[in-house]
Amino acid sequence: MAKLSVYYSEHPEDFHPVPDKLNIFFGHGRIEWHKTQFFIPLEAPFRSKTADDYSEDIMSVSILLEDLMTHPERPNQFGINIHSVVRRLEKLKHQEGLHFDYSDIEQFIIQMGDIEEIMQMDVKPFYEWR
């Protein structure tokens, strides 16, 4: 099962923590690349973290706005189009000469602004600092 963490940055005016990124950690070899999509409920439990907690030792993939999706039968969830991510990674492999094994990718990173845009709502109340 994937573990969710929300990374916070300080608001520039009043310095209170605001959600910045959502990390979905699967672990080594645990992402099911053969699936077409992966959905995350907005109200899923998560761990609060700051930039100081960020580890660069974990191989990650940024999930872009064009990789995100919604489904009419899942109103409080957003999805990741796994095929879109794989197509983008394959393109990078061939065009940029990147060498990696999919099993080495352990987590997805999503900008909160992209989640808000795909959900067409302010999702920050779901991810308040705890």
Side-chain angles (χ1 to χ4, degrees), residues 24-126:
I24 305 169
F25 180 80
F26 296 89
H28 188 270
R30 304 288 306 246
I31 298 175
E32 298 181 46
W33 294 104
H34 64 279
K35 291 197 171 184
T36 58
Q37 52 202 342
F38 175 75
F39 279 88
I40 301 103
L42 285 176
E43 296 178 356
F46 65 91
R47 298 176 73 180
S48 300
K49 297 189 175 192
T50 65
D52 295 334
D53 298 320
Y54 194 77
S55 171
E56 293 185 18
D57 297 332
I58 299 172
M59 189 168 177
S60 306
V61 170
S62 292
I63 301 301
L64 306 179
L65 179 61
E66 57 262 24
D67 300 324
L68 297 176
M69 58 194 290
T70 58
H71 192 287
E73 294 177 10
R74 298 175 178 217
N76 291 321
Q77 297 182 20
F78 65 92
I80 299 171
N81 181 333
I82 301 295
H83 287 298
S84 172
V85 176
V86 169
R87 280 192 305 273
R88 185 165 44 87
L89 292 175
E90 286 298 312
K91 186 176 178 182
L92 284 172
K93 274 181 143 180
H94 295 291
Q95 288 182 349
E96 305 293 328
L98 295 179
H99 301 285
F100 63 87
D101 186 36
Y102 282 94
S103 66
D104 292 334
I105 299 171
E106 296 187 60
Q107 73 180 357
F108 293 154
I109 302 172
I110 309 171
Q111 297 290 325
M112 281 295 180
D114 290 345
I115 297 171
E116 289 182 325
E117 190 165 334
I118 197 74
M119 296 300 295
Q120 298 180 352
M121 64 187 287
D122 181 9
V123 298
K124 289 179 186 76
F126 290 98

